[in-house]
Amino acid sequence: PKSSSMSDKAEQKPQRTTVKSSAYAKIILHAVQYPHDEIHGALVGFWNDSELIVQDAMPISHSSPTKPIVDMSLRLIDAYCQSIEGINGNNKVSIVGWYTASDRLVDSNKISQGGDENDSSPACFAGQAAHRITGMIGSVLNDENRPILIALKNSNIGNSLLGIDETTLVPFEEDKWKHWTKPIAAENFIVEEGAAILARDGFKRSTKVHDFEGHLEGGALNVSRCDWLRNPEISKSVAQ
């Protein structure tokens, strides 16, 4: 079966992933903006041979997303990706994964199962979140490549906001049983240099991150004001 051959390939040749500064900053600032809520968003990028480039993050919700929210947001993101096609040369930009963060600093379920109580237990929450959304996002992911799931290690966010730590993102991929609980080795997951500094500077400027859920709240005026697809304030900082 195709899934079996993909798993064998994954075991033979690890995929290298690079997260660009803009994507990193949006994920961190999205979590900071909603410190008492779980957050979710899509990852956008492209594959360059065996390397996945996570070019951008599209914040979707600051609550557990419903299927209509996920469906609508992913359709808009897919259309946006098609509209910017060609900017990266021959690389086709598409939805390459998902990111999420728990609303809790420590996940009591993992601790009760023998986990490290000093860990923010992203694996436990990420697995639960992936289980909920896999059916919703599966149709837009490229089966020929290997998408990624990123969970935030909440206990490290403070260091990210000081510009001194870029290990807040914890990456996972599917295992051979199609569970999103297989950790990606640190040597195969790279955050672009200076990403934490960009997040720190955005935090100092109180840069607001718009998500799709917020885009729908507040009536027509808010819809036109909240550019959740681009979040231009962060994009401008990257260009400077």
Side-chain angles (χ1 to χ4, degrees), residues 136-147:
M136 303 185 215
I137 69 172
S139 61
V140 297
L141 293 176
N142 187 342
D143 287 339
E144 295 180 0
N145 292 297
R146 291 157 56 194

Side-chain angles (χ1 to χ4, degrees), residues 1-2 15 69 76 85 104 122 145 150 181 196 207 233 235:
K2 184 176 181 180
Q15 174 176 269
I69 289 289
L76 291 169
E85 193 169 324
R104 291 172 288 178
N145 292 297
I150 291 178
T181 55
T207 301
E233 290 185 36
S235 299

Side-chain angles (χ1 to χ4, degrees), residues 115-169:
D116 180 357
E117 65 180 15
N118 294 316
D119 191 356
S120 61
S121 45
C124 183
F125 180 76
Q128 294 168 355
H131 179 73
R132 292 200 306 270
I133 59 121
T134 296
M136 303 185 215
I137 69 172
S139 61
V140 297
L141 293 176
N142 187 342
D143 287 339
E144 295 180 0
N145 292 297
R146 291 157 56 194
I148 189 174
L149 171 68
I150 291 178
L152 271 73
K153 188 170 184 179
N154 291 339
S155 57
N156 281 18
I157 291 177
N159 287 335
S160 293
L161 297 179
L162 293 174
I164 59 175
D165 191 2
E166 295 172 347
T167 62
T168 306
L169 307 187

Side-chain angles (χ1 to χ4, degrees), residues 45-61:
F46 56 91
W47 279 270
N48 185 7
D49 294 326
S50 61
E51 182 178 13
L52 170 60
I53 308 296
V54 179
Q55 178 177 292
D56 208 348
M58 306 293 184
I60 290 177
S61 68

Side-chain angles (χ1 to χ4, degrees), residues 1-200:
K2 184 176 181 180
S3 60
S4 175
S5 64
M6 286 177 63
S7 297
D8 293 341
K9 182 179 178 181
E11 292 297 332
Q12 294 171 0
K13 189 175 182 181
Q15 174 176 269
R16 177 185 172 94
T17 298
T18 298
V19 179
K20 293 294 188 178
S21 296
S22 177
Y24 179 92
K26 286 181 184 179
I27 294 170
I28 297 298
L29 295 176
H30 190 201
V32 170
Q33 190 163 315
Y34 299 100
H36 305 296
D37 303 304
E38 61 180 80
I39 61 160
H40 297 270
L43 302 171
V44 168
F46 56 91
W47 279 270
N48 185 7
D49 294 326
S50 61
E51 182 178 13
L52 170 60
I53 308 296
V54 179
Q55 178 177 292
D56 208 348
M58 306 293 184
I60 290 177
S61 68
H62 48 274
S63 62
S64 182
T66 62
K67 190 175 188 304
I69 289 289
V70 172
D71 287 347
M72 284 189 291
S73 62
L74 293 184
R75 280 199 296 269
L76 291 169
I77 294 170
D78 190 49
Y80 175 76
C81 289
Q82 293 180 41
S83 74
I84 63 172
E85 193 169 324
I87 292 178
N88 294 293
N90 295 324
N91 297 308
K92 182 179 179 181
V93 179
S94 62
I95 297 170
V96 299
W98 192 264
Y99 75 84
T100 186
S102 173
D103 56 353
R104 291 172 288 178
L105 182 61
V106 175
D107 191 309
S108 58
N109 290 332
K110 185 173 181 182
I111 294 173
S112 66
Q113 296 167 6
D116 180 357
E117 65 180 15
N118 294 316
D119 191 356
S120 61
S121 45
C124 183
F125 180 76
Q128 294 168 355
H131 179 73
R132 292 200 306 270
I133 59 121
T134 296
M136 303 185 215
I137 69 172
S139 61
V140 297
L141 293 176
N142 187 342
D143 287 339
E144 295 180 0
N145 292 297
R146 291 157 56 194
I148 189 174
L149 171 68
I150 291 178
L152 271 73
K153 188 170 184 179
N154 291 339
S155 57
N156 281 18
I157 291 177
N159 287 335
S160 293
L161 297 179
L162 293 174
I164 59 175
D165 191 2
E166 295 172 347
T167 62
T168 306
L169 307 187
V170 184
F172 300 91
E173 61 182 348
E174 281 186 314
D175 62 20
K176 61 183 179 181
W177 294 283
K178 295 294 183 181
H179 297 151
W180 289 85
T181 55
K182 181 181 177 182
I184 295 176
E187 61 267 25
N188 294 321
F189 185 75
I190 308 299
V191 174
E192 189 174 39
E193 185 177 355
I197 293 175
L198 180 64
R200 177 201 66 188

